[in-house]
Amino acid sequence: MAKLFTPITLRKTEIKNRIFVAPMCQYSAVNGIANHWHLVHLGGLAVGGAGLVMVEATAISPEGRITPSCLGLWSEEHAQALQPIVQFIREHGAIPAIQIAHAGRKASCDVPWRDGKFLSKEQGGWQTVAPSAIPVTPEHGTPVELSHSDIQEIAAQFLATAERALAIGFEVLELHCAHGYLLHEFLSPLSNQRQDEYGGSLENRCRLTLQIAKDLRKFWPQDKPVFVRISATDWVQGGWDIEQSIQLANWLKELGIDLIDCSSGGLILDAKIPTGPGYQTVFAERIRKEAGIASGAVGIITSALQAEHILATGQADVILLARILLSDPHWPLHAAKELHVDLTWPEQYVRAKHL
């Protein structure tokens, strides 16, 4: 059996294979509410054979959205819209997961196919917030520096969102601390220049992430896993880097976090990133080995043999796929054939199995 198609058990949650759908923003919600697009998109990925299907970055508040079209889970109405999607994912053999997030200073932007430009209040945007009043670029609005009470309110919103997620049947929770969004902004000295207990030293910059992770792990059922997605480096000298990421991973492991989802970048928009096949896998490998915690590899992983090699050589425990699944939602079924694994296909599609 290829490693890619062996099950993995995290706490008491058994996932049928190691192909995880990475959270991918669809920019298709109305007032943060999921709709038919999300059902078809996520449901199709479950039908396609992935072991775990993770819902896109889901905002904990209206102001926490990246764009006005991003998904949210800040009310019961939002929860009710997501519930049938969760049910469909589970019915088709995948584990339903959700990533919860706050966009921080990168909020209030237009959708990518309209260039993703910052939106003023007159254009339908809103005031952004951040650890420090430092804009992403001069073209972005200057964020308001969060007060101590603001920080505690945001921590409470993360917990309240997790409570809604559990109530509608999600089995895995992921905390978004990557890609230049709010919690990453607290981690990096390039965006966090606070002088209080949330800024300065590495321990202080990690304080909010660790506080929220502790709250989530304490609340989330002990038999279900909690992941954290990080940007392992800013790709800029003097910024957040892999050594700090390893220390953070150690602290998160002590709190009971089960897996580190290892991405990179996003804080500095003009950072020079040496992209290429599997270019972030080295981060997953170092965190897995040096922090002793399960890790996920993500980033330009496109072939079955490449994914299998990453797992077989101990570089990561799971593979998170994104754009290749947009191109081919049935990639896991095709990968199984390539690796000579006799995977069970959905009955409705079985006539195509031997094409």
Side-chain angles (χ1 to χ4, degrees), residues 100 158 173-177 183 209 212-213 216 227-229:
I100 58 175
F158 271 103
L173 185 72
E174 178 168 275
L175 180 62
H176 196 358
C177 303
L183 296 181
T209 291
I212 294 170
L216 295 179
F227 301 170
V228 173
R229 171 166 271 199

Side-chain angles (χ1 to χ4, degrees), residues 330 333-334 336-338 345 348-355:
H330 299 145
L333 301 179
H334 302 144
K337 291 177 68 174
E338 186 176 344
W345 279 46
Q348 298 91 333
Y349 289 177
V350 74
R351 74 184 93 176
K353 183 175 181 179
H354 300 293
L355 288 177

Side-chain angles (χ1 to χ4, degrees), residues 214-226:
K214 182 178 180 180
D215 290 346
L216 295 179
R217 184 62 275 178
K218 184 177 180 181
F219 162 74
W220 202 249
Q222 289 304 300
D223 60 345
K224 300 181 188 300
V226 177

